[in-house]
Structure formats: structure tokens, C-alpha cells
Amino acid sequence: MRNRLLIIFTTLLVAIMSVDLSPAVGASATLSLTLKQTPSTTEPIVTMYGILKPAKVGLKVCVQVELDKKWQTSDLSSKTTSGGAWKIEAVATALSASVKYRVFTKVGNTTIFSLPRSIVIKQIPEMANVDSTTLMDLAGPGGRIHGVDISRWQHPNDAPIDFTKMYSAGVRFVMIKAADSRDSSDAQALKYVVMDHNAAQAAGIVTGFYYYATLPDSTDPSVIINDAMAQAQRAIWRLASIGGYNNRDLSFALDLEQNCVRVASNGNCAKYASRNAVTLWATTWLATLNLRTGRTPILYSYPQFLETAMMRSADLTKYPLWLAHYGINPADPLAQPGQKNGGCFVHSWTTSNCSVSWSMWQYTSCGIASKYGVPGTRLDLDVFRGTPSTFLDLIKGTWLPEVADLMPVQEPSTTIINSFTASDTNKPVIFNVSVNRPTGNPVVTGTVSFVPDQPFASPIALTQSAVRASSGNWTLTVKAIPAGSWSGSVVFKDVSGTHATSSAPVTLTITQGVIPTPKPTTTPKPTTTPKPTTTPAPVVDSCKNQIRN
């Protein structure tokens, strides 16, 4: 929700401090408030933002101001997104003031207040020849616009990022991991994108998002397309949960950097997706997001993957490329990422002169994190290729979600057991399971398990693993079911609450397998003299040959 309302005070320099009052009403919910002056060349902007926990969508957040030692409710308000975040931007008009604000909302019958925040306003000299491109400082190496990309790894022990320090260090855009095809990683991404999105924008930094992709284990084009559309839906739901695209957002980027679709028991990749499959999946995901949001998404990858794992495609070239290439220094204006010694990588973005048509370049994973207000030791750094006006063209156009775009809550699901194999106690029971939405499309989140109608008397506990083949499709392996005829169900559950639980009944007949003869106990070997301690292997410097800015 964008509020361009007038507040009583003009803000050109803001100092923020916390003031403790009585605890917020309602022990089960909390409402936070942060105040920032957002850099602006047109008019002074104050940004208020915070998070309601636990998250509830559509609750009205109202602003109160303390005047004459009394709290008065102003006309400023916002609504919480499904992620619990809220934000208000307001134009300031006074020249000098000191004032205190707080916000409140109503959860059920309980009114929840934030802690107050005080803001001190001072006038600074008027700026002349205002141009919005002057906010896009060319502070990166090679005189380019500087950026970073972040995820949960930049929040050790949940430590927050100081985006004001990041802005002061010259950073003007930040790409935030917002979603992931894996449920557990996706939940972590949601936690931190809600934390970072409004905070970065309030500090004056343009925000973008990225989605980490895992491809389906299938060669069927229809399965590949359905999976790509389902994963694009996950990204759209995540975007809707933070309020959609505003005029300080870059588009979503598809992080496509691995094509392993099946992992062996030793942890190595047992199967890779074909080049045709990867290309079909990527073009479908990108086109779906483009169509649904009206914004052109971005593709992130690295040169070797683009050349060896994907086909050349005219459909791909219309999407901006965010290229990862380390070891060359962007401080050299003639440095060309995406090239190899003595030749070029050949892919969709390769030009006729062997250069690469890239829009953003991730030039190192070894940035000095503390320099940019980031906890930890290292940080991915990026530069934008082009002028400030070209950069600002990328954030034109907004997208506000409608009710239909929001992630559903307990949407009905249908579980289908496509096939299963069951023989004897020495072999696992293997199910092939599909779970669909009411539309017939595959579910986006959740997993499956086998639940017997009656507990087994066997002292050996069941072991189960559900391996996702594609969105809404799993291979479920169950071990240690005892001999006999058993009834039970394959149950689909979604801990995110997006899709409702559903199940499909099944009857299994398991015969007793051959019971192995125990091996005779061997006489223990005498203890040998321990070998001398070997010299430990040297520590590998993963930042060797990388830029450390």
C-alpha cells in the first residue's frame, strides 16, 4: 500500500531512537515499528514499517502521534500483507521538529500497540537540479551501480542487516532470496525476505528477488511444463505475500545453477536433466511469471551451465541475464565476464563478437560483509551494466496482488496412489503418489507419508523417505513393514497450511522374507599399535583468486 500523504513535519536528516513504554497489549501477538528517512531527490520521505507476528493478512495498522503529551490517531494507515509486513511512506512538510510515533492494530478483540519511536528532524540545504538518477551513485568498481545479494546466510543467529550502512557504502540494489523449490528452504526464505524487503527500501536501496530452482525428475514435456508453472506459482504467491511489486522493486530472478534431478545414496548426482528439459522448464517459468505480473523476470546462472546444460533459445534472450563470473576484476572497464581463455561460451546471450549480453554481474562471493553492514565474513557483490536511467527503467511498473493471487489457506487437495509395489519383509514398499489441487494442477508445497490404520507390533520402527519427482509427485519408500495383511493410507500434509491434508487408502500384503542366519561371533583381533598422527590437510581458501571488496 503506497501512501503519499502529508505528515506535519519535513524530514531531511533523521535520528531514530527507541523509547520504552508499557508492554504491548496482548501477549500472543507483537507489532513492530521502525522509522527511516528514505533518500529522495524530489521531496523528503519518511518510511514507517514493521511486522505483525504471528502474521495475519489484511489487518489495518494505524499511526498515532504524541502531541501535548497525548496520543492522537493520524490519518496514516496501512494493511498487513500475508507475511505480516506493513509499510507507510509519507511526505514531510515541516522544517524542524521532534516528535514521537507508535502504531496499533486490532487482532480479534485485542488492540496491539508497537513500542514508540522518536524522530528528530533537522533542515539541510536545499538541493538544486533535482534528478532521480542522482540517487543511483556509480560507486561500484569500474564506475558502475553497485549491488549485493543476500539470503539466510547473511543472518547468522538471526542478526539483522544494517541497510543504512549498506547504503552509505555505495550499494544501490540488493537481490534478496525470496523463495525456494524446497519446502524447508522456502520457509527460511520467507522469514528473511519479510525482514529485509521494507528495511532495505526504507534505507534507499532498490530491492529485487530471486527464486532457487530444483528441476523435476522427468523427461515428459507435460510434466516439466506443469512443474515449472507450479514453481512459478510459488514465486507469485511469495511476491503477493509482501504486497507485490512497488516502484522500488526489481523483478524476480530465476536462480538456475544446477540440473541434478536425482541424488544417489552416497550423495552424488545419479541423474541430470537434459538440455532440452532444462530449457523448456526455464522458458516456462520465466514466461509464466512475465504473464502473471506484467514484469520481465531475470535469469541468474553462470557461463558453463548456460553452455552445457541449456539449449540456445530465442525465447530466453528477451530476459535480462544476471551472470556469475568470479576471478576477473570489474574495476577494469574492459573486463568481460562470461568469456573463457582462447574462446567463448556459446549460449543464448552470446553475441557475434564472443562477448555476453549481461545486465548484472555477480563478480565475487567474497565481499567484506562488515563493510556493508552485513553480519558474518563474506558477501556476494554485483554490478549493473548500464546507466542510472537504464537501471531505473527496470523498476517501472507496479503489480499489486488481487485476492486470487494470494497463497490459499487449506485449499482442498486430492491424493492419488498411481502405483505401488509390495512383496516381502526384505524389500521396501514403494509408492508412486500424485497430489492435485482442485484445478487438477499439482500442489505446490507439502509431502507424503504412509500411515497404518493400526500400529505395528514389530519392534523395528518404520523408515520412510518421500523423494519429490516433480511438483505434486513423489516416490515414497517405506521400510520395515512386518509380514501380514495391513490397511492404511498414504497421507499428504502441508506444514505451510497452503493445501489441506488429504489421503488415499491402501491395503498391503507382505510375506515373510528369508531370515538371514546370524554370523558366528569372531574372536576380536588383538589391539594394534596406533599409527602416528598424520599432518592435517591444509585449509582450502575458497576466496583464492576472488575479488575482496
Side-chain angles (χ1 to χ4, degrees):
M1 178 178 185
R2 291 180 298 282
N3 293 286
R4 303 291 294 171
L5 304 174
L6 294 181
I7 62 176
I8 306 173
F9 312 100
T10 298
T11 304
L12 293 177
L13 178 63
V14 180
I16 299 170
M17 59 183 180
S18 299
V19 180
D20 291 330
L21 286 186
S22 57
V25 178
S28 61
T30 60
L31 183 66
S32 65
L33 165 66
T34 300
L35 294 175
K36 292 281 186 182
Q37 178 189 352
T38 301
S40 172
T41 57
T42 55
E43 51 195 351
I45 301 295
V46 172
T47 302
M48 305 179 179
Y49 65 93
I51 302 174
L52 173 67
K53 295 182 179 180
K56 290 183 180 293
V57 64
L59 295 189
K60 187 176 182 180
V61 178
C62 299
V63 177
Q64 288 189 330
V65 57
E66 188 182 55
L67 298 174
D68 299 325
K69 297 184 179 180
K70 294 181 180 179
W71 286 106
Q72 301 180 21
T73 301
S74 73
D75 293 332
L76 296 173
S77 66
S78 180
K79 287 188 177 180
T80 57
T81 66
S82 59
W86 63 272
K87 184 175 73 170
I88 295 171
E89 288 184 354
V91 181
T93 57
L95 298 180
S96 179
S98 176
V99 69
K100 189 183 295 181
Y101 292 99
R102 70 180 182 184
V103 293
F104 69 92
T105 190
K106 197 166 186 178
V107 181
N109 294 323
T110 303
T111 301
I112 308 297
F113 287 89
S114 73
L115 291 175
R117 296 288 186 245
S118 293
I119 187 168
V120 177
I121 301 165
K122 296 180 181 178
Q123 186 179 13
I124 61 174
E126 183 177 357
M127 296 179 63
N129 300 321
V130 172
D131 181 355
S132 60
T133 60
T134 60
L135 288 178
M136 294 295 110
D137 297 320
L138 303 177
R144 301 179 177 92
I145 299 172
H146 213 192
V148 305
D149 53 276
I150 59 176
S151 66
R152 69 182 180 91
W153 300 109
Q154 279 67 55
H155 290 279
N157 301 316
D158 277 351
I161 293 173
D162 185 347
F163 288 103
T164 300
K165 183 175 182 179
M166 184 181 288
Y167 183 91
S168 298
V171 170
R172 292 298 176 266
F173 70 94
V174 54
M175 302 297 290
I176 307 169
K177 182 177 181 179
D180 194 300
S181 50
R182 302 160 296 179
D183 284 0
S184 59
S185 298
D186 188 64
Q188 291 177 320
L190 171 60
K191 175 181 179 180
Y192 293 114
V193 72
V194 170
M195 181 185 299
D196 293 337
H197 179 230
N198 287 340
Q201 289 195 353
I205 300 174
V206 171
T207 55
F209 315 98
Y210 70 92
Y211 178 96
Y212 184 85
T214 302
L215 302 179
D217 185 359
S218 178
T219 58
D220 184 339
S222 63
V223 172
I224 294 168
I225 290 172
N226 285 338
D227 182 85
M229 293 177 68
Q231 292 202 46
Q233 179 65 70
R234 187 193 288 257
I236 292 165
W237 282 341
R238 182 55 40 78
L239 183 60
S241 77
I242 58 175
Y245 287 131
N246 62 39
N247 57 8
R248 290 197 183 107
D249 283 322
L250 292 165
S251 296
F252 240 108
L254 172 62
D255 181 349
L256 187 56
E257 55 185 281
Q258 63 89 20
N259 59 337
C260 180
V261 296
R262 189 181 304 167
V263 179
S265 57
N266 62 3
N268 295 329
C269 187
K271 180 184 176 183
Y272 292 93
S274 69
R275 296 175 69 189
N276 282 325
V278 176
T279 306
L280 175 61
W281 192 97
T283 53
T284 302
W285 191 99
L286 292 163
T288 301
L289 215 72
N290 191 4
L291 177 65
R292 292 284 300 278
T293 66
R295 280 277 199 99
T296 303
I298 301 163
L299 181 79
Y300 167 90
S301 196
Y302 60 96
Q304 293 87 342
F305 187 90
L306 295 173
E307 180 180 65
T308 62
M310 301 182 73
M311 302 293 293
R312 296 185 68 185
S313 167
D315 289 336
L316 287 174
T317 56
K318 62 184 179 184
Y319 301 106
L321 176 64
W322 177 14
L323 189 68
H325 192 162
Y326 307 153
I328 54 177
N329 198 329
D332 176 4
L334 300 181
Q336 291 287 337
Q339 294 185 319
K340 56 176 121 174
N341 292 332
C344 61
F345 293 100
V346 178
H347 51 74
S348 297
W349 290 268
T350 304
T351 66
S352 58
N353 64 357
C354 206
S355 63
V356 178
S357 180
W358 57 272
S359 296
M360 294 192 296
W361 170 15
Q362 186 187 76
Y363 66 90
T364 184
S365 65
C366 295
I368 303 169
S370 59
K371 175 180 175 181
Y372 302 97
V374 175
T377 57
R378 54 191 290 181
L379 176 68
D380 294 342
L381 300 179
D382 309 89
V383 290
F384 175 76
R385 178 184 193 172
T387 63
S389 60
T390 304
F391 182 87
L392 292 174
D393 284 341
L394 293 179
I395 61 176
K396 289 181 178 178
T398 59
W399 178 76
L400 297 178
E402 299 177 356
V403 173
D405 297 311
L406 297 175
M407 180 178 286
V409 177
Q410 296 298 321
E411 178 186 70
S413 66
T414 303
T415 298
I416 303 168
I417 301 174
N418 300 311
S419 63
F420 70 91
T421 58
S423 54
D424 61 47
T425 54
N426 292 333
K427 297 178 181 178
V429 178
I430 300 176
F431 299 92
N432 180 277
V433 184
S434 297
V435 184
N436 293 329
R437 303 175 63 191
T439 58
N441 295 326
V443 294
V444 179
T445 55
T447 190
V448 294
S449 63
F450 172 71
V451 179
D453 289 341
Q454 298 293 331
F456 298 124
S458 172
I460 304 175
L462 291 182
T463 59
Q464 305 193 42
S465 66
V467 177
R468 174 189 174 278
S470 63
S471 293
N473 293 281
W474 292 268
T475 298
L476 173 62
T477 302
V478 186
K479 297 180 180 179
I481 298 179
S485 293
W486 310 104
S487 61
S489 299
V490 172
V491 179
F492 165 75
K493 287 187 177 181
D494 180 9
V495 296
S496 75
T498 304
H499 308 293
T501 298
S502 61
S503 62
V506 65
T507 299
L508 306 173
T509 299
I510 309 293
T511 60
Q512 180 61 55
V514 176
I515 300 175
T517 303
K519 294 181 180 181
T521 304
T522 57
T523 304
K525 294 181 180 180
T527 303
T528 57
T529 304
K531 295 181 179 180
T533 304
T534 57
T535 303
V539 177
V540 177
D541 181 5
S542 59
C543 287
K544 184 178 181 181
N545 299 325
Q546 286 206 48
I547 310 301
R548 306 190 196 215
N549 276 357

